[in-house]
Amino acid sequence: MSGSAPQRTEPTTAELRHRPRLIVNTGNGKGKSTAAFGMGLRAWAQGWSIGVFQFIKSGRWHTGEQQAYAQLDQAHRTTGVGGPVEWQSLGSGWSWLRATEGTDQAAMAAAGWAHVRTLLAAQTHRLYILDEFAHVLNKGWLDVDEVADDLAHRPGTQHVVITGRNCPAGIIGIADIVTSMDNVKHPFGKGERGQAGIEW
Amino acid sequence: MSGSAPQRTEPTTAELRHRPRLIVNTGNGKGKSTAAFGMGLRAWAQGWSIGVFQFIKSGRWHTGEQQAYAQLDQAHRTTGVGGPVEWQSLGSGWSWLRATEGTDQAAMAAAGWAHVRTLLAAQTHRLYILDEFAHVLNKGWLDVDEVADDLAHRPGTQHVVITGRNCPAGIIGIADIVTSMDNVKHPFGKGERGQAGIEW
């Protein structure tokens, strides 16, 4: 709202359709990260730049999603369809953090968040998936109030999705959409193994 | 377990990793379908054939996911990476049901399920996403017990994901993994609009 246009008090429908969202997928059940990656498909189809940042060691988790996103990124770069994807995995070493790889998890989390803050300030991506970021916050590796302040004051219409159990109240409080994925029934309780193609 | 090898009573790790799963994403919150589509990325990366069946009119919902899956399907067909994708949307007319398009929703649901049953019997896909199928079951358009029986006796290691609110107990009872996506906070409650790239 600029002072030179005081008559325009109602936002347009287009403006109402393009507000920055902070989305939290929390709870003890399946689907927190998976839904975030599913949401990224819509962002890709809109032609948005996507940044995926995995904040804990991933092992083979999400490798299927990573492969699919790499394919979508390649399709964008070669034919122009969809949007580009940046995928940074703390587990396999952040590309800009090789020198400090092997340091403690708190330091890696701090460096990871510093990177994301820089990208947010520059409005590098339109959608950020901060995978397992709630876990990092719960561990006390970052100051929740500072992170919340940075998120609340990010410029433009950058959407952020945070996943992880027990997301702190300081983040829930400023979030626009919060969903709790709760476990109703799971075979791991019966000692069964994870299934190829289902869990990874 | 063949009779010629009675000594083999313990399944191998590989066998434990390849059991057919019936997965239900239910609840009143976001992420039920989105998590199902995210799960499909893993299946794609495993090279599995995927069938997506949308059981209610989709409008523009999921069009972003559909575009991304079309790209992944094309990548498979042209370069061999990942797996193929069949995507059938009841909302835009099932391709094998044009003659009866415009008939009532119960008839369309019945025809849709008949199609999926045929595919299951032929083991056509490795992963089936039956989007909003819980809604169809709740409407009474199909017999829950018959559907549960068909699902419970599907051959091979075909995984099925069912999404939708209030999934009937007859399906929950035979499911392997059930997650309830519950709404904690959502701006629609404050009268806000859906966001491009976020809701579709």
Side-chain angles (χ1 to χ4, degrees):
Chain A
M1 299 293 144
S2 77
S4 60
Q7 76 283 6
R8 213 169 126 230
T9 51
E10 294 293 319
T12 66
T13 299
E15 285 167 350
L16 290 169
R17 293 288 191 199
H18 294 91
R19 287 185 163 170
R21 290 297 189 220
L22 177 61
I23 297 162
V24 173
N25 293 347
T26 191
N28 70 351
K30 305 278 293 179
K32 298 185 290 292
S33 299
T34 315
F37 292 125
M39 185 173 289
L41 299 181
R42 295 184 209 135
W44 178 85
Q46 294 269 350
W48 294 359
S49 181
I50 302 169
V52 178
F53 305 93
Q54 297 193 270
F55 273 85
I56 60 168
K57 278 192 181 294
S58 62
R60 62 185 167 188
W61 301 94
H62 309 319
T63 52
E65 290 95 323
Q66 190 170 3
Q67 281 177 260
Y69 270 78
Q71 183 63 54
L72 294 172
D73 178 63
Q74 189 188 323
H76 171 73
R77 293 181 193 285
T78 54
T79 71
V81 300
V85 182
E86 172 188 1
W87 186 298
Q88 297 279 1
S89 175
L90 203 56
S92 57
W94 296 60
S95 60
W96 39 268
L97 193 65
R98 291 196 201 290
T100 55
E101 213 172 350
T103 59
D104 66 286
Q105 290 190 288
M108 289 179 76
W113 174 244
H115 178 60
V116 172
R117 279 187 79 208
T118 304
L119 299 178
L120 285 169
Q123 301 191 49
T124 308
H125 300 297
R126 188 73 184 271
L127 175 70
Y128 299 75
I129 299 176
L130 309 185
D131 192 42
E132 296 291 359
F133 194 52
H135 176 79
V136 165
L137 294 170
N138 272 324
K139 285 285 185 184
W141 295 335
L142 297 170
D143 184 290
V144 173
D145 291 339
E146 285 178 15
V147 168
D149 192 61
D150 287 334
L151 287 170
H153 295 99
R154 70 193 184 281
T157 53
Q158 302 175 93
H159 305 291
V160 178
V161 185
I162 292 172
T163 78
R165 293 181 183 214
N166 304 317
C167 189
I171 303 296
I172 300 289
I174 62 162
D176 300 292
I177 301 173
V178 179
T179 308
S180 181
M181 280 69 172
D182 297 310
N183 181 34
V184 175
K185 190 176 186 179
H186 200 286
F188 289 0
K190 298 185 288 181
E192 291 208 15
R193 300 288 188 104
Q195 299 298 302
I198 299 296
E199 266 87 33
W200 69 85
Chain B
M1 297 291 147
S2 79
S4 61
Q7 75 283 7
R8 213 170 126 229
T9 51
E10 294 292 321
T12 66
T13 298
E15 285 167 349
L16 290 170
R17 293 288 192 199
H18 294 92
R19 289 185 162 169
R21 290 296 189 221
L22 177 60
I23 298 162
V24 174
N25 292 349
T26 192
N28 71 352
K30 305 280 292 180
K32 298 185 289 291
S33 299
T34 314
F37 293 125
M39 186 174 288
L41 299 181
R42 293 182 211 138
W44 179 84
Q46 294 270 346
W48 293 359
S49 182
I50 303 170
V52 178
F53 305 93
Q54 297 193 269
F55 273 84
I56 60 167
K57 279 189 179 297
S58 63
R60 64 184 168 191
W61 300 95
H62 309 321
T63 51
E65 290 95 323
Q66 191 169 1
Q67 280 176 259
Y69 271 78
Q71 183 63 52
L72 294 172
D73 177 63
Q74 189 187 322
H76 171 72
R77 292 181 195 285
T78 53
T79 70
V81 299
V85 182
E86 173 188 0
W87 186 297
Q88 297 279 2
S89 175
L90 204 55
S92 57
W94 296 60
S95 60
W96 39 268
L97 193 65
R98 292 195 200 289
T100 55
E101 211 172 350
T103 60
D104 67 284
Q105 290 190 287
M108 289 179 77
W113 174 243
H115 178 61
V116 173
R117 279 188 77 209
T118 304
L119 299 179
L120 285 169
Q123 301 190 48
T124 307
H125 299 297
R126 188 73 184 270
L127 175 70
Y128 299 75
I129 297 175
L130 308 184
D131 191 42
E132 295 291 358
F133 194 52
H135 176 80
V136 165
L137 294 169
N138 273 325
K139 285 284 184 184
W141 294 335
L142 297 170
D143 185 289
V144 172
D145 290 339
E146 286 178 16
V147 168
D149 193 61
D150 287 334
L151 286 171
H153 296 99
R154 69 192 187 281
T157 52
Q158 301 174 94
H159 305 290
V160 178
V161 185
I162 292 171
T163 78
R165 293 180 183 216
N166 303 317
C167 189
I171 302 296
I172 300 289
I174 61 162
D176 301 291
I177 301 173
V178 179
T179 308
S180 182
M181 278 70 172
D182 297 309
N183 180 34
V184 176
K185 189 177 187 181
H186 199 286
F188 288 0
K190 297 185 289 179
E192 291 207 15
R193 302 287 189 102
Q195 299 299 303
I198 299 296
E199 266 86 32
W200 67 86

